[in-house]
Amino acid sequence: MRVHLVNPSDTSFGTAVITPRWLYVLAAATPASFGDPEICDETLEHLDPLSVAPGDVVGIGIHTGNALRGYKLGRIARERGATVIFGGIHSTLYPEEALAHGGAHSVIQGDGDQAWGEALNDCRNGTPKRIYQGGRVSADQFKSARWDLLPPNRYMWASVQTVRGCPKHCSFCSVWRTDGQKPRQRASDRVIEEIVQLRRLGYRFIALADDNFYPVSLTDMRLAERQNNHQRLAELKAIRNERFELMARLARLPKDMVFFTQITMEAAEDPLFLEAMRAAKIMGALVGVEAVTPEGLKSVYKDFNCSGEELVSRLQQFRNHGIHILGSFIFGLPSDRQETFEATLNLAHRSGLTFAQFVMLTPFPGTVDFEQWEKAQPEDARVQGFPLTRYWLIPPEVRPKMFMPHPIMGSEEMRQRTQRVWDRFYSMKSIWKRSRCAHTLRSRLAFILISKLYRQMYASTGIATDSARRSKASAWARWIARPCRGLFIADPMPDLQIPS
Ligand code: SF4
């Protein structure tokens, strides 16, 4: 009886950017008596069904974007006589769907750190339950990933988690509802151990795969102070101090290491935090800018962000502290107008963003937006027999590209305008200009390659509608990904010790 862990993906690139952390965390959660699990990340290569034998257990983790592929794999594995267990954020939200469409015997809802081992033991005893409640385990129960199982020469970046949960409540995001609003921070010892292990293997670029690396803002603390809420203030200070402790320890790791994370824009008004990030070699961060107008921000419950010129100067603050920003923007908000696209592009250029992504507003399950959208759909709205409100089950070739009708723009117009913004932000001229942030010709060329790779990987899975363009982009990304990997990987440091 073998245990398999599968990360489903329709598109495989042979080389991937970031290690899918959950595979290696569940590998660590697999009881030793089962041996090392077989790990299959389909962003590298598709699962070979013949590798699954009767009596095996196949664990499949899905989010909404890869649920359909995951269900197909689940049915294949079940037909081959395996016991199939689903997990991941989408299964947490729709456990019955995995049982009905994915051939699942069991579904784990919530964190798998503890529940996965329990489910495996039940499978061995022939008593798998339909549903396991993994819940939200405390930070001291998070498993450290089994990086010793990483395949060689496949990934550019590794991923380590330092905190789960986010105190915000953005309407398009499910994180705060699934992972909770109370930040669960790992002890810095565990985080540093994992990072050192990865650097020993040659990974010097690490994504801190957190929901929000900046869980306590200065505004939160000021508010607690004003309310004389001493207990809350003490809690916030403790969380903040732990962040600083972690960053101080990251600063003592080898100089060639580079970290990337996700934070909210509020960090820009916290120079102490930004300085600690710089010292910790956290050189890049994804910041959800979302919209450039106050109306747009209000509509996504993100009015803690700034707009207009203040937004430009906030974003520039990060650059002033040596932190490169990947700005994330949403198109399709009700307040968007034709001129919003140009204004957004203009702002992205002016604020000194190093990278940017422009996504179309999509109602993702588990979000406030989804609930409102779902209620507004007519009951008989179906495509090929599948309810529109379960759009991820609709075959991709006939699946609508936009679900939230816009008051003045049609879906094709929206798509084309979004595509044009991507094309212009990632035109050779613009990339060359931005590449000035690199100091040598070699690193400028690397910057260009990476910008193009990022653009193509997104185009192949996101906004391009015609399949020729998608497969061309995918082939191009596959071709360019391999040499790109060489730019990120360093010589292994097998003797690297954990800084005392
Ligand atoms: S979008 Fe970011 S800030 Fe907003 S709830 Fe999600 S993780 Fe938190």
CSV table of all heavy atoms in Angstrom, one decimal, residues 166 168-170 172-173 175-176 211 264 302, ligand 1:
chain,number,residue,atom,x,y,z
A,166,CYS,N,-5.5,36.0,8.3
A,166,CYS,CA,-5.4,37.4,8.0
A,166,CYS,C,-6.5,38.1,8.7
A,166,CYS,O,-7.7,37.8,8.5
A,166,CYS,CB,-5.4,37.6,6.5
A,166,CYS,SG,-5.4,39.4,6.1
A,168,LYS,N,-7.8,41.0,8.0
A,168,LYS,CA,-8.6,41.8,7.2
A,168,LYS,C,-9.9,41.1,6.7
A,168,LYS,O,-10.1,39.9,7.1
A,168,LYS,CB,-7.8,42.3,6.0
A,168,LYS,CG,-6.5,43.0,6.3
A,168,LYS,CD,-6.8,44.3,7.1
A,168,LYS,CE,-5.6,45.0,7.5
A,168,LYS,NZ,-5.8,46.0,8.5
A,169,HIS,N,-10.7,41.7,5.9
A,169,HIS,CA,-11.9,41.0,5.4
A,169,HIS,C,-12.3,41.4,4.0
A,169,HIS,O,-13.4,41.8,3.8
A,169,HIS,CB,-13.0,41.3,6.4
A,169,HIS,CG,-13.3,42.7,6.6
A,169,HIS,ND1,-12.7,43.4,7.6
A,169,HIS,CD2,-14.1,43.6,6.0
A,169,HIS,CE1,-13.0,44.7,7.5
A,169,HIS,NE2,-13.9,44.8,6.6
A,170,CYS,N,-11.3,41.3,3.1
A,170,CYS,CA,-11.6,41.8,1.7
A,170,CYS,C,-12.7,40.9,1.1
A,170,CYS,O,-12.7,39.7,1.3
A,170,CYS,CB,-10.3,41.7,0.9
A,170,CYS,SG,-9.0,42.6,1.6
A,172,PHE,N,-13.3,39.9,-1.9
A,172,PHE,CA,-13.0,39.0,-3.0
A,172,PHE,C,-12.1,37.8,-2.5
A,172,PHE,O,-11.7,37.0,-3.3
A,172,PHE,CB,-12.3,39.7,-4.1
A,172,PHE,CG,-11.1,40.4,-3.7
A,172,PHE,CD1,-9.9,39.8,-3.6
A,172,PHE,CD2,-11.2,41.7,-3.2
A,172,PHE,CE1,-8.8,40.4,-3.1
A,172,PHE,CE2,-10.0,42.4,-2.7
A,172,PHE,CZ,-8.8,41.7,-2.7
A,173,CYS,N,-11.8,37.8,-1.2
A,173,CYS,CA,-10.8,36.9,-0.7
A,173,CYS,C,-11.4,35.9,0.3
A,173,CYS,O,-12.2,36.3,1.1
A,173,CYS,CB,-9.7,37.7,-0.1
A,173,CYS,SG,-8.4,36.7,0.7
A,175,VAL,N,-9.4,33.9,2.3
A,175,VAL,CA,-8.4,33.5,3.3
A,175,VAL,C,-8.9,33.8,4.7
A,175,VAL,O,-8.8,32.9,5.6
A,175,VAL,CB,-7.1,34.3,3.0
A,175,VAL,CG1,-6.3,34.4,4.3
A,175,VAL,CG2,-6.3,33.7,1.9
A,176,TRP,N,-9.5,34.9,5.0
A,176,TRP,CA,-9.9,35.3,6.3
A,176,TRP,C,-11.0,34.4,6.8
A,176,TRP,O,-11.2,34.3,8.0
A,176,TRP,CB,-10.2,36.8,6.4
A,176,TRP,CG,-11.3,37.3,5.5
A,176,TRP,CD1,-11.2,37.5,4.2
A,176,TRP,CD2,-12.7,37.5,5.8
A,176,TRP,NE1,-12.4,38.0,3.6
A,176,TRP,CE2,-13.3,38.0,4.6
A,176,TRP,CE3,-13.5,37.4,7.0
A,176,TRP,CZ2,-14.7,38.3,4.6
A,176,TRP,CZ3,-14.8,37.8,6.9
A,176,TRP,CH2,-15.4,38.2,5.7
A,211,ASP,N,-0.4,34.3,4.3
A,211,ASP,CA,-1.6,35.0,3.9
A,211,ASP,C,-1.3,36.5,4.0
A,211,ASP,O,-1.7,37.3,3.1
A,211,ASP,CB,-2.8,34.6,4.7
A,211,ASP,CG,-3.1,33.2,4.6
A,211,ASP,OD1,-3.0,32.6,3.5
A,211,ASP,OD2,-3.5,32.5,5.6
A,264,THR,N,0.2,43.8,3.3
A,264,THR,CA,-0.8,44.9,2.9
A,264,THR,C,-0.1,46.2,2.8
A,264,THR,O,1.0,46.4,3.4
A,264,THR,CB,-1.9,45.0,4.0
A,264,THR,OG1,-1.3,45.2,5.3
A,264,THR,CG2,-2.8,43.8,4.1
A,302,LYS,N,-11.9,47.3,1.0
A,302,LYS,CA,-10.4,47.4,1.2
A,302,LYS,C,-10.1,48.9,1.4
A,302,LYS,O,-9.2,49.4,0.8
A,302,LYS,CB,-9.7,46.8,0.1
A,302,LYS,CG,-8.2,46.5,0.5
A,302,LYS,CD,-7.7,45.4,-0.3
A,302,LYS,CE,-6.3,45.0,0.2
A,302,LYS,NZ,-5.7,43.8,-0.4
B,1,SF4,S1,-6.8,40.0,0.2
B,1,SF4,FE1,-5.0,40.0,1.5
B,1,SF4,S2,-5.5,41.5,3.1
B,1,SF4,FE2,-7.4,41.0,2.1
B,1,SF4,S3,-8.3,39.3,3.4
B,1,SF4,FE3,-7.2,38.3,1.7
B,1,SF4,S4,-5.1,38.0,2.6
B,1,SF4,FE4,-6.1,39.5,3.9
